Amino acid sequence: MPTSLTQPASAASDYGCYMQTGSKRILDLTRSVCGFNAQQAAKDYTKDTAYLKAVRKMLQQNPYGSSSVKNLVEANPEVLTSAARDYCQARQSGKSDNEIMETTYRNAMDSTGMAMETYSPRNRREAERLQKQIEVAVIPTQLAMSLASQHYCPQVSRRSLR
C-alpha cells in the first residue's frame, strides 16, 4: 500500500511531520520518525526571540563600533543563538569564561588560516580584514557571555566563575 508524506490543513502552523496512508489515514510522525518536538521548538523560539531582543538592546546602548556586528544580528541571528547555546553548554561542562573565549579566539584565527602566535599582517588593509573576520567570529561569544545565562542557562549565573 503506497504512502506519502503530507501535512494536513489543521497542522499547517505546527510544522509537524505527517504521513498519509493509502486508506487516507493521517499518522503524526513528528516525534517518532522526524525527531521534532513542536512544543520544544516553540519554547526555543521564545527563548531565541527574547535573546535576540536583548542583543539588539545591548547593541543600541553600547555599540561594539562595527556595522558588521549589527548586520550579523539581522542577517544571521542563528549564529548568535547558537553561540549562546554553545556558551551555556560549555559553562555547564565546567569551562570558565576565559577558557571559552580563548577557544573561540583560537578557532577564529584557525579559520583564517593564521597561527595566532606568529601572524603579522603585511599591511593595514590585511589587518583590517582580519580584524573584521575575527570580530564576526568572537562577538557572538562575547554577547553570549553577557546575556545567555539570562535566557538559556540561568543556573550558570549562580555558579562562580573560574
Side-chain angles (χ1 to χ4, degrees):
M1 170 164 29
T3 60
S4 62
L5 292 177
T6 185
Q7 185 174 12
S10 63
S13 64
D14 74 356
Y15 303 103
C17 176
Y18 301 89
M19 181 178 83
Q20 184 175 18
T21 66
S23 63
K24 305 293 183 202
R25 184 171 167 227
I26 295 176
L27 303 175
D28 184 352
L29 304 174
T30 304
R31 288 186 187 195
S32 61
V33 175
C34 299
F36 181 76
N37 181 333
Q39 290 176 334
Q40 185 61 47
K43 288 179 188 176
D44 290 347
Y45 176 79
T46 300
K47 287 180 183 180
D48 292 349
T49 301
Y51 179 72
L52 293 170
K53 183 178 178 181
V55 166
R56 286 182 186 99
K57 183 177 179 181
M58 178 182 263
L59 291 174
Q60 286 174 348
Q61 292 174 348
N62 186 11
Y64 283 88
S66 172
S67 62
S68 61
V69 176
K70 292 177 183 173
N71 291 340
L72 180 66
V73 174
E74 299 308 320
N76 297 309
E78 63 280 351
V79 169
L80 298 170
T81 56
S82 178
R85 290 184 196 325
D86 291 347
Y87 169 79
C88 287
Q89 186 176 16
R91 289 289 289 134
Q92 290 168 344
S93 72
K95 289 189 178 180
S96 69
D97 282 356
N98 287 340
E99 290 170 315
I100 294 167
M101 188 49 71
E102 184 176 321
T103 300
T104 301
Y105 188 76
R106 283 189 182 280
N107 290 342
M109 289 299 290
D110 289 347
S111 73
T112 64
M114 310 293 171
M116 190 166 70
E117 295 81 11
T118 60
Y119 178 69
S120 178
R122 292 185 294 260
N123 56 48
R124 182 178 176 170
R125 175 175 255 153
E126 185 178 305
E128 288 173 355
R129 182 188 55 77
L130 179 63
Q131 175 62 33
K132 283 185 180 187
Q133 285 179 315
I134 292 171
E135 181 180 85
V136 168
V138 172
I139 293 291
T141 300
Q142 289 176 325
L143 291 167
M145 290 171 67
S146 297
L147 299 170
S149 64
Q150 297 168 28
H151 300 277
Y152 295 101
C153 51
Q155 66 280 13
V156 168
S157 64
R158 291 188 285 266
R159 293 166 116 179
S160 63
L161 299 177
R162 294 183 191 175

